[in-house]
Amino acid sequence: MQEIKTPAPHATDLASVAQRLGTDPMTGLTRDEAASRLSRHGPNRLRRQKRKGWVAILRHQFTSMIVWLLAAASGLSLAFGDIAEGLAIIVVLLINGALGFFTELRAARSMEALMRIAQVRTRVRRDGSERMLDAQDLVPGDIVVLEAGDVVTADLRLAGASNLEIDESILTGESIPVRKQTDAVAPDAAIGDRAGMAYKGTAVTKGAGEGIVVGTGTQTEIGRISDLVQSAESEVAPLERRLDLLGHWLVWLTLALAALTIGAGILRGNEIAAMLQTGVALAVAAVPEGLPVVATLCLARGMWRMSARNALITRLSSVETLGATTIILTDKTGTLTENRMTVMRYLLPDGDVEVAKTGDGTPFSRDGSPLTPETATPLDWALRVGALCSTAELDHGAQANHTGDPMEVALLAVAAKAGLRREALRGTLPEHAKHAFDPDRKMMATVHGNGADGGAERGAIYAVKGAPEAVLEVCTQVMTPDGQVTALPPEAKARWQSRAAQSGQEGLRLLGLAMKQTGDGDGDPYRDLVLLGMVGLRDPLRDGVREAIADCHRAGVRVVMVTGDHADTARAIAGRAGLGSGDLRVIEGRTLAGRPADTLDEAERARILTADVFARVAPDTKLTLVSVFQQAGHVVAMTGDGVNDAPALKKSDIGIAMGQRGTEVAKEAAHMVLRDDAFATITEAMRQGRVIFGNIRKFVVYLMSCNISEVLVVGLAVGGGLPTPLLPLQILYLNLITDVFPAFALGLGRGDDAVMHRPPRDPDEPIVGRPEWQWIATLGAAITVSTLAAFAFALFWLGLDTGAAVTVAFLTLALAQVWNVFNLRDPEAGLLRNEVSRNPYVWGAIALCLALIGLALWQPFLADLLQLESPGMAGLICAGVASFGPLLVGQVLLILRRAR
Ligand code: ATP
């Protein structure tokens, strides 16, 4: 993008910028031109996500050690003249590769589709008309149309600005919005002074405008400075890596075992060629060929299930981390509560005024008697300030069309009920300036021309609202009941504080209201104010929050509230939501402000680790909290929506952004996006995460116990001087065709409630830990004993020839592996009713496996290829009976384990 860098667009006049970018602000780009630019510049995203091409996916299928081992086995077979077997192994390899390719391709594409749902949309002019577009499809030269409330989606050279103000705090740290226009400025102007530009990630607070896109994606200011833009993350989940490792490990083990068996065989004087064939069989037996495919499918399915429940996972690895989450740091407003506010009460100099929700006539009452606000009294002014000092819009027609902060909407609504509509108020008190809400001062202000008596404007009126303690701090006077003003001494402030605390303890969210009249409007809005009173708003708990939090507690996961609201209000809401146990421990964020985790001593850390609520927390404190919890060994999930939350979202193990309220920046930094902003969705996602991990563990144990049994059957038989009981192709048939379906079925299980009745697993806990290895060995041994017993029985008791006896061994092993799927049930669950027996996929897989086994036996071509012979009725019965042995052993052990 050489041409737009020199000279910089902010210092270039509009016509030249348009010309250089080959665009016309009136009509925008054509669709074709936009498409071609998109392919040149790439998508407009901060985090570079590499799209996995099909070639890479295909290559991936043939790079694993497993494939090389099988290829070597095939080469050996060919070299020893067993052409059919050599070719069959190649065919199987190809089928396996194709299966893996399509599964992985589908998984990759569906992940990309999921991520698209989480995208921000933006209004663009193309081909002469305006349309909504995914922000990531913007290209240099596009014309973007802005209005209040929008996030700027690319770097723009402004071509139009009417009253346009933009909050650029994310780039400049300056929280007061900047007034924009369309002129060029000096080349060396700082970002905050480039009035003719709008930058990606900043927020339009007021007015409207449009601009030419001069930079997208990482070629934007925020892209350049932001640490959000770390190099493309490898999307390989740690889980996949661990599975890979397991695969490698198995290959070496197999080689060692094969060498041992072959060596022993040769020493006993067996034929070298026969021994090599055994070696090939062993190699094929030990490798769980289906494992990578099943793992990919299982993770991708899990992501879809979560998305169907409104949780969009943007990183595959998060699926597993979710299951290990030990603590959730959650927002209050909008996540635990509905963010639908209603004004309940005014605290005024002459007492409290209650506000009724509905009904005709005046909604106000004091001590049970109705009250009409008289002009120029504290109530009248409180209502006016609430309506004037606002950025929201009330649509008097339809409730659904209100825009802006629900708290401000509530203030506008209550004023309108009292007959004070903002439009009318602004007729006599026109707005001259606005000081947007400053999260550090926790206040906002508007400045109005004072034409109250209908005459020419005389001086200015400041309307201020904000956190009660912040407003009290800057008030020096208070309005008396008759509309006069009088001094506000410190004792009186303390009394106001305790009144506010009382309402806060009822769970009301409080705001202080103040004003001042001055000769001119250029002074400090937050000095020498006149206190009018306070307003208390109710924000009800969301449905299902109590239950979801109770679920978390049962699952051993702590829930901690982190809010910008006052401690009293936060404590009341936390109590209602069922947070903590017994007395709630509340910490004020100000005690931690500006203190990174490494400056905290042990006592402070201990206090943090046991707190239930953090109140009046600033965004940078969230980062400290995440660090402290992580350093104590927690796996931290944290919610957030603002641009300032991005660093903490990134730092946490699971950053959760709000889909509806969240900014683009928060969504980009997060690992998971909640489409419905609801807390209950987090619990559900956690449940899914646990189910998925459990499923993966189940099918890994299942596949490995099957594989081990094959190795043992071959190794022990040959070691013991019997003929080879299973031929390589038979083993391949089992591993690639019949084993895979039950494994798939286990991977798709929906789990049961039990997963949320256990504490979270240790994040470092391996998929296959000690207990799993023991179970694999036990099941593998049981299958081995059954198979060898059936083989020996067929050879020596029934007197079958080797071919028929091999078929008996094959059948026993195949059926035993099918039944083995029931040994993967949760020991706590019932013998007959458990998550495996309730899984319809399992029954489907069993039916399919039986059909495939029958086919191998009775379909002449297949039977020929696999060298299976009819074992006769006695052989069939022998195999059938023996195959139930491992199931029996497994179930008895499970019952014993439960009893213990
Ligand atoms: P939560 O973290 O649960 O969303 P919050 O909205 O109260 O809580 P902040 O947005 O950080 O958190 O606000 C902190 C305080 O600033 C609020 O409790 C309120 O007193 C005050 N405040 C918030 N928004 C405004 C506003 N638009 N105008 C004036 N004061 C505000």
Side-chain angles (χ1 to χ4, degrees), residues 330-334 337 341 389 391 405 407-408 437-439 441-444 464-469 509-512 561-566 616-619 622 641 661:
T330 175
D331 272 344
K332 171 174 70 68
T333 311
T337 68
M341 311 235 181
C389 180
T391 50
D405 183 349
M407 179 175 69
E408 298 192 336
F437 175 66
D438 177 344
R441 307 192 77 151
K442 297 200 270 300
M443 287 185 284
M444 74 166 278
V464 174
K465 74 180 198 306
E469 68 277 18
R509 182 189 165 92
L510 284 151
L511 274 184
M561 180 195 279
V562 180
T563 176
D565 211 336
H566 192 274
R616 287 282 190 245
V617 167
K622 289 190 179 178
D641 47 20
R661 264 182 307 128

Side-chain angles (χ1 to χ4, degrees), residues 106 162 167-168 256 300 430 447 468 500 522 595 619 635 670 773 779 797 844 874:
R106 262 201 61 184
S162 115
D167 173 355
E168 295 184 334
V447 189
D522 295 332
R595 304 197 46 196
V635 177
W773 278 118
L779 295 178
W797 196 276

Side-chain angles (χ1 to χ4, degrees), residues 177-201:
V178 182
R179 188 75 173 205
K180 294 292 182 179
Q181 37 85 2
T182 58
D183 296 338
V185 295
D188 58 354
I191 288 182
D193 299 329
R194 298 178 190 169
M197 298 288 295
Y199 290 103
K200 182 174 169 73

Side-chain angles (χ1 to χ4, degrees), residues 242-403:
R242 278 193 263 169
L243 284 179
D244 251 15
L245 239 110
L246 206 66
H248 282 199
W249 196 81
L250 273 174
V251 169
W252 291 116
L253 190 75
T254 310
L255 288 179
L257 256 173
L260 216 71
T261 317
I262 295 171
I266 293 176
L267 282 184
R268 292 174 72 114
N270 290 358
E271 251 185 78
I272 296 196
M275 280 303 97
L276 279 178
Q277 200 196 26
T278 309
V280 172
L282 276 174
V284 171
V287 174
E289 289 88 348
L291 206 125
V293 179
V294 183
T296 310
L297 187 92
C298 177
L299 283 175
R301 251 314 270 257
M303 283 181 67
W304 269 114
R305 263 190 210 156
M306 288 191 191
S307 121
R309 288 182 168 78
N310 287 320
L312 292 177
I313 301 286
T314 57
R315 273 162 235 193
L316 206 52
S317 52
S318 305
V319 174
E320 149 220 357
T321 321
L322 260 170
T325 303
T326 58
I327 190 164
I328 306 175
L329 306 181
T330 175
D331 272 344
K332 171 174 70 68
T333 311
T335 311
L336 297 179
T337 68
E338 289 191 357
N339 202 13
R340 258 193 314 124
M341 311 235 181
T342 335
V343 173
M344 302 298 290
R345 176 179 305 158
Y346 282 89
L347 314 181
L348 298 169
D350 48 348
D352 293 359
V353 168
E354 303 295 328
V355 183
K357 240 183 173 167
T358 47
D360 301 326
T362 173
F364 306 104
S365 64
R366 173 173 283 152
D367 303 327
S369 13
L371 176 91
T372 319
E374 283 173 44
T375 316
T377 56
L379 178 58
D380 178 53
W381 268 113
L383 289 165
R384 282 166 194 259
V385 165
L388 287 171
C389 180
S390 175
T391 50
E393 294 293 337
L394 197 63
D395 185 318
H396 294 284
Q399 204 172 8
N401 290 342
H402 303 329
T403 50

